[in-house]
Amino acid sequence: DAIDLLYWRNVKQSGAVFGSVLLLLFSLTQFSVVSVGAYLALAALSATISFRIYKSVLQAVQKTDEGHPFKAYLEVEIALSQDQISKYADKILLYTNTCMKELRRLFLVQDLVDSLKFAVLMWLLTYVGALFNGLTLLILAVVSMFTMPVVYEKHQAQIDQYVGLIRTQVNSVVGKIQAKIPGAKRKEE
């Protein structure tokens, strides 16, 4: 389960996933996606071919007939069903339509306050983009995904207290700004 990975319930499994994802991302900082993909495929092929040859030699020396070492995996059905494809396509379609409607609402200023918040976010992202490239942000996101849940779980009371203080201050500032901008009052829904 992904939650168990992020909360480090099984340290070996979380460490393996975290380490391999970071290794992949750091590899991508040095090499192209094509090179990294090709090297990963070559490494996997080297391992499986070596294991297959090892098992064949072992069978020949011991005069056994165990068969193909990957036979169980070769017989596993890996095709996606029409229902699975339809389910994922429906989810993607719903997400895409929701995003398009929200972007239309923000860009065509249906709600002035929300559009201003979006503008501030985009302005802040220009500074983030000037400081970091996308791959660096992805590495920071992966590290955060594997550290933040554990830190929050251990220090939840203190974090909630500070988040509450920050939320109160932000709401106060937003309220003052809304009071000064004509037509920016939020409609009660």
Side-chain angles (χ1 to χ4, degrees):
D1 188 39
I3 299 297
D4 290 340
L5 276 177
L6 298 179
Y7 278 97
W8 293 77
R9 304 283 190 245
N10 181 341
V11 176
K12 287 182 182 178
Q13 191 176 23
S14 293
V17 170
F18 180 58
S20 59
V21 169
L22 273 184
L23 181 65
L24 174 69
L25 292 175
F26 283 129
S27 298
L28 288 173
T29 63
Q30 299 299 314
F31 306 105
S32 71
V33 173
V34 173
S35 295
V36 171
Y39 283 128
L40 286 174
L42 281 172
L45 274 172
S46 298
T48 54
I49 290 171
S50 298
F51 186 71
R52 171 79 193 271
I53 292 171
Y54 167 75
K55 286 301 237 180
S56 296
V57 169
L58 197 62
Q59 287 174 15
V61 169
Q62 294 178 348
K63 298 194 186 325
T64 61
D65 190 25
E66 295 176 12
H68 196 289
F70 298 117
K71 184 177 182 182
Y73 298 109
L74 288 170
E75 293 172 352
V76 172
E77 183 64 36
I78 60 170
L80 291 173
S81 70
Q82 186 66 33
D83 291 339
Q84 288 173 317
I85 292 173
S86 178
K87 181 178 86 172
Y88 292 125
D90 288 345
K91 285 183 180 182
I92 291 170
L93 181 65
L94 178 66
Y95 179 74
T96 303
N97 286 337
T98 302
C99 286
M100 287 177 20
K101 287 177 185 176
E102 184 64 19
L103 288 172
R104 178 185 65 188
R105 187 182 78 76
L106 291 169
F107 279 106
L108 299 179
V109 195
Q110 182 177 350
D111 184 333
L112 181 62
V113 174
D114 285 347
S115 292
L116 288 173
K117 287 180 189 176
F118 184 65
V120 169
L121 175 65
M122 292 299 108
W123 178 69
L124 290 173
L125 285 178
T126 63
Y127 287 102
V128 171
L131 294 172
F132 304 106
N133 67 23
L135 199 52
T136 304
L137 290 174
L138 191 58
I139 291 169
L140 289 173
V142 167
V143 170
S144 296
M145 282 174 31
F146 277 89
T147 56
M148 296 286 196
V150 175
V151 170
Y152 180 73
E153 190 174 57
K154 289 183 179 178
H155 305 287
Q156 185 174 0
Q158 297 95 328
I159 292 171
D160 286 346
Q161 177 185 355
Y162 289 116
V163 167
L165 290 172
I166 292 169
R167 185 175 288 144
T168 303
Q169 291 296 323
V170 168
N171 289 340
S172 171
V173 170
V174 168
K176 289 176 184 176
I177 291 172
Q178 284 178 342
K180 293 183 180 187
I181 297 175
K185 302 259 187 213
R186 295 286 306 216
K187 296 178 183 85
E188 296 298 323
E189 296 179 24

